[in-house]
Amino acid sequence: MARQAARGPDPRKVSNELFTLTYGAMVAQLVKDYEHDDEVNKQLDKMGYNIGVRLIEDFLARSGVGRCNDLRETADVISRVAFKMFLGITPVVTNWSPAGDEFSLLLENNPLTEFVELPDGHSQLNYSNILCGALRGALEMVQLDVTVWFVQDQLKGDSISEIRLKFNKRLEDAVPAGED
Amino acid sequence: MTVFNLYIFDRNGNCLYYAEWNRRKQSGISQDEEFKLMFGLLFSIRSFVSRMSPTDQSEGFVSYKTNEYKLHFYETPSGLKFVVNTDLSVGNIHDVLQQLYSQVFVEYAIKNPAYSLGQPVTSELFKSKLDEFIRGQQFFTSKLS
């Protein structure tokens, strides 16, 4: 993946670059290790999931956000609080399905993909797929079964990156034995 | 003012951590059974409390008192349950439990890659940080009995 250096004097910018570089190095290694983009996408999703199931606790602890009452509230919290807290961006929530069970997050600036270009021959690679896994893992821990995927990707030539999230069902906690 | 003991459960009923400081009486059953009993109670009380609530928007179960001790309860949206038993002089420690979650559990258990979710926490660092946290609270005094 090609990268053009452009260092700024702000110390926080350096650590953002380190983050971008680290992520890039990881994806590059996955691409080397697995033959097909599909496999890499799956691995990124899995890693994202493992991050998400822990990240949710950090999120809940730091944001103090309580239970959301419906999917719209959830979408709002994801975009305005969670993305802001971890990636410093606020994706736009839009494209709600008529049933209200699906929506999109539009990302204009993705810190993961700063200075990144997809190499030739890897046009199916969902470079930021880790985000989809993380959302899925995190929401599962608050009892929402969701499917998350990329619909548009700036790295693939689209004007904007769009993540779509579909609510499947509520996950109910297992009832302890002997209780009703 | 004193803390007797503390339980941490995940949303599936697994007891992730138990510690005691001043427990003066045992329950008479095995520790496993005790955890199950405690979790079952929490489940039932929470469901009872919300069903029988005469007002809307109740926060749910927060604590119960007997003439000897007070049980405090805090649950995160992710289903983690914190239970602390103290004597009766302790007021509402909701904020303390919230801090216990964010400053101790998240920092030293969740963020520890060696810790697998759903398993009891065995990290020595966690144990000592939690102990330090509880002992550092205003309502904690250790009585030698």
Side-chain angles (χ1 to χ4, degrees):
Chain A
M1 270 141 260
R3 182 190 166 273
Q4 299 137 35
R7 287 191 182 281
D10 182 356
R12 283 180 311 163
K13 229 8 189 187
V14 173
S15 126
N16 276 355
E17 284 201 350
L18 180 60
F19 175 66
T20 306
L21 284 175
T22 308
Y23 186 71
M26 188 182 77
V27 179
Q29 189 60 46
L30 286 173
V31 167
K32 264 201 216 109
D33 290 344
Y34 295 95
E35 280 194 19
H36 300 290
D37 288 347
D38 271 1
E39 258 312 306
V40 180
N41 291 342
K42 253 204 288 208
Q43 286 303 314
L44 286 173
D45 185 79
K46 213 157 94 174
M47 290 167 116
Y49 177 83
N50 289 326
I51 291 176
V53 298
R54 291 181 189 247
L55 204 66
I56 183 73
E57 307 288 355
D58 189 35
F59 172 71
L60 291 172
R62 277 160 54 191
S63 67
V65 167
R67 288 213 114 99
C68 292
N69 292 313
D70 57 30
L71 193 65
R72 280 184 186 262
E73 225 184 294
T74 306
D76 186 56
V77 169
I78 290 176
S79 143
R80 274 189 320 103
V81 192
F83 265 89
K84 188 86 189 85
M85 184 184 279
F86 294 113
L87 292 173
I89 57 174
T90 317
V92 175
V93 177
T94 184
N95 290 347
W96 282 93
S97 66
D101 62 348
E102 256 186 67
F103 63 89
S104 288
L105 294 161
L106 301 181
L107 292 94
E108 260 197 61
N109 308 302
N110 183 351
L112 292 173
T113 60
E114 249 185 288
F115 317 129
V116 171
E117 275 177 23
L118 283 186
D120 295 327
H122 290 280
S123 56
Q124 293 308 305
L125 181 65
N126 292 332
Y127 185 85
S128 306
N129 219 32
I130 206 161
L131 296 178
C132 300
L135 281 168
R136 185 170 63 90
L139 290 172
E140 189 178 299
M141 297 301 275
V142 287
Q143 297 166 287
L144 296 175
D145 177 353
V146 297
T147 312
V148 194
W149 70 102
F150 266 95
V151 175
Q152 293 192 75
D153 195 342
Q154 281 168 321
L155 289 183
K156 293 182 184 169
D158 298 315
S159 57
I160 200 150
S161 293
E162 181 182 349
I163 296 178
R164 194 128 182 96
L165 191 148
K166 176 174 168 49
F167 167 75
N168 299 323
K169 61 179 191 289
R170 270 212 112 93
L171 298 163
E172 292 306 331
D173 275 343
V175 174
E179 309 290 337
D180 271 319
Chain B
M1 300 233 253
T2 188
V3 178
F4 298 120
N5 56 2
L6 169 152
Y7 304 76
I8 303 179
F9 292 97
D10 74 1
R11 61 197 176 135
N12 297 315
N14 301 309
C15 183
L16 305 181
Y17 194 72
Y18 171 75
E20 60 186 43
W21 290 269
N22 289 309
R23 184 173 189 166
R24 296 170 198 154
K25 179 191 154 296
Q26 297 302 319
S27 60
I29 52 178
S30 78
Q31 199 171 62
D32 244 15
E33 279 176 20
E34 182 178 300
F35 293 156
K36 280 211 203 102
L37 189 62
M38 174 63 80
F39 187 79
L41 164 89
L42 295 174
F43 187 89
S44 303
I45 280 196
R46 281 168 54 231
S47 138
F48 174 85
V49 156
S50 67
R51 195 180 295 259
M52 301 299 275
S53 168
T55 66
D56 307 312
Q57 306 251 343
S58 162
E59 192 192 307
F61 174 56
V62 164
S63 65
Y64 77 63
K65 261 196 219 176
T66 74
N67 62 338
E68 290 293 338
Y69 73 96
K70 184 172 176 183
L71 180 143
H72 307 258
F73 176 73
Y74 173 76
E75 185 181 6
T76 71
S78 52
L80 279 170
K81 300 169 181 40
F82 293 81
V83 178
V84 174
N85 288 319
T86 68
D87 70 9
L88 297 173
S89 60
V90 178
N92 186 318
I93 54 168
H94 184 270
D95 289 342
V96 174
L97 293 179
Q98 218 266 337
Q99 277 169 29
L100 176 64
Y101 167 57
S102 63
Q103 291 169 18
V104 182
F105 192 78
V106 170
E107 291 299 309
Y108 299 102
I110 296 290
K111 289 187 178 174
N112 177 0
Y115 168 61
S116 7
L117 302 181
Q119 296 300 314
V121 185
T122 53
S123 144
E124 282 304 322
L125 181 61
F126 174 79
K127 282 186 193 153
S128 67
K129 286 291 176 183
L130 185 136
D131 192 65
E132 201 182 302
F133 179 85
I134 293 289
R135 285 181 191 277
Q137 294 307 314
Q138 280 181 332
F139 52 78
F140 182 90
T141 50
S142 183
K143 292 203 192 97
L144 298 169
S145 49

